[in-house]
Amino acid sequence: MPVIELKGIKREYRMEARKGSRKNRKTAKKGGNEENTVVVRALRGVDFSAEVGEFVAVMGPSGSGKSTLMNILGCLDKPSDGSYFLDGIETSKSNSDVFAFIRNRKIGFVFQSFNLLARTTALENVELPLFYRRTEKNEKRQDAKARRERAMAALNEVGLLERMDHFPSQLSGGQQQRVAIARALVNDPAFILADEPTGNLDTGMSLEIMGLFQELNRRGKTIVMVTHEPELAAYTNRIITLRDGEIVTDKKPEEKRVAADDLARWKAEHSLLSGDE
């Protein structure tokens, strides 16, 4: 069974039409009165699935629908039509409590801007989802020791255990993103949803983060990454391209790249340019 399965996903937004505008105008009846509305079709029947252990890039120009798709994948929004199964749960008709459970337990979010709490340590930032962990029926709530051990294990998984007592201001951008990835991993989600995860990083740090994603994927983690950079999509195993709310291509990268190798080359070239030996 796929970990992610979308069938016929549509998302429409209805807005009041400006006076004199005829473009995309649709007449709707509301309470017996006619009202002119403009229907914006952000997604037009998207079919998409991802198996356990896939690393997928979602690409597309501005206005293609990739942000809308990301919001639906992350259970931050509901489709207007269609079905979305996540780890066997039909989400498209779920209520807010089920949505909160899914976001906490099934999805690990990684954001462009890290979203770390400035006055808490790396360890405490990673622990945070465990404080709000939604327990299933007959599931025992974790105590402070168990939460700490689990957060330490997640930091160790991203190679940052020795920095667990540091505050975000004491960490580089790449290290902050590693903390954010550890936070995404700590609840052992069904998949990681990364939104432009290297957008605030330089080339070297971006390659480090892509190398980490590739390593996590080799360990069996399912990752969906939204990006506008073809260079980053080349580090994934599959690239989906959206245009005008529809998937226009779904294929493997033409040249699969290894981030660790590219990082080594970048460091060598950077060392030569700076005159280091």
Side-chain angles (χ1 to χ4, degrees):
M1 179 184 293
V3 66
I4 296 168
E5 187 171 22
L6 284 74
K7 294 181 178 179
I9 292 293
K10 297 180 181 179
R11 186 64 175 102
E12 297 180 350
Y13 300 95
R14 297 173 182 271
M15 299 175 290
E16 185 177 350
R18 289 182 297 179
K19 277 188 176 182
S21 173
R22 293 181 176 272
K23 186 178 181 181
N24 290 331
R25 180 177 289 184
K26 186 173 182 178
T27 301
K29 288 188 176 181
K30 210 170 190 180
N33 298 321
E34 287 194 351
E35 179 185 13
N36 287 328
T37 62
V38 171
V39 179
V40 178
R41 296 177 174 86
L43 294 176
R44 301 168 179 260
V46 170
D47 296 315
F48 162 61
S49 64
E51 302 290 336
V52 174
E54 281 202 82
F55 188 2
V56 184
V58 177
M59 299 189 66
S62 178
S64 64
K66 64 180 186 294
S67 294
T68 303
L69 179 61
M70 184 195 71
N71 288 337
I72 290 174
L73 286 172
C75 291
L76 301 169
D77 192 13
K78 289 185 179 182
S80 305
D81 194 13
S83 62
Y84 170 27
F85 286 86
L86 171 54
D87 203 23
I89 301 173
E90 162 60 293
T91 70
S92 52
K93 296 177 177 62
S94 298
N95 60 34
S96 57
D97 285 340
V98 175
F99 254 37
F101 171 82
I102 291 170
R103 288 193 297 267
N104 180 251
R105 297 290 295 270
K106 299 295 183 180
I107 307 169
F109 293 92
V110 179
F111 304 98
Q112 177 178 337
S113 55
F114 318 141
N115 288 355
L116 300 178
L117 298 181
R119 297 184 180 181
T120 58
T121 65
L123 182 65
E124 291 166 339
N125 268 285
V126 176
E127 275 188 273
L128 196 60
L130 299 174
F131 281 109
Y132 299 101
R133 182 180 172 90
R134 301 220 165 195
T135 55
E136 297 183 272
K137 189 176 180 180
N138 299 324
E139 182 182 7
K140 187 179 178 182
R141 195 167 185 84
Q142 292 180 330
D143 59 22
K145 181 181 178 183
R147 290 196 301 266
R148 180 180 175 85
E149 289 175 351
R150 192 159 183 165
M152 288 174 67
L155 280 171
N156 188 53
E157 195 167 1
V158 301
L160 215 60
L161 183 59
E162 73 281 0
R163 299 286 182 130
M164 69 178 188
D165 293 323
H166 287 61
F167 292 93
S169 61
Q170 297 171 313
L171 301 172
S172 69
Q175 289 170 336
Q176 290 184 61
Q177 193 61 295
R178 283 176 178 267
V179 173
I181 293 170
R183 182 183 58 195
L185 292 170
V186 74
N187 264 331
D188 191 24
F191 79 103
I192 294 172
L193 180 59
D195 178 22
E196 303 283 1
T198 65
N200 287 347
L201 304 177
D202 63 20
T203 301
M205 289 181 179
S206 295
L207 290 171
E208 285 185 10
I209 295 302
M210 293 312 301
L212 176 57
F213 278 137
Q214 286 188 324
E215 178 57 31
L216 292 172
N217 180 244
R218 279 192 289 271
R219 298 177 198 168
K221 301 296 183 184
T222 307
I223 304 170
V224 176
M225 180 181 71
V226 178
T227 182
H228 66 278
E229 299 184 57
E231 297 85 355
L232 295 182
Y235 295 112
T236 69
N237 302 325
R238 179 181 170 197
I239 303 173
I240 290 172
T241 304
L242 287 166
R243 188 177 296 277
D244 297 328
E246 298 177 322
I247 293 177
V248 292
T249 61
D250 183 349
K251 60 184 181 180
K252 293 182 178 180
E254 293 180 4
E255 180 187 3
K256 176 68 184 295
R257 304 188 67 87
V258 178
D261 294 344
D262 288 348
L263 177 61
R265 279 192 291 270
W266 180 86
K267 285 182 175 178
E269 292 169 1
H270 187 76
S271 177
L272 289 172
L273 288 172
S274 62
D276 295 338
E277 294 184 0

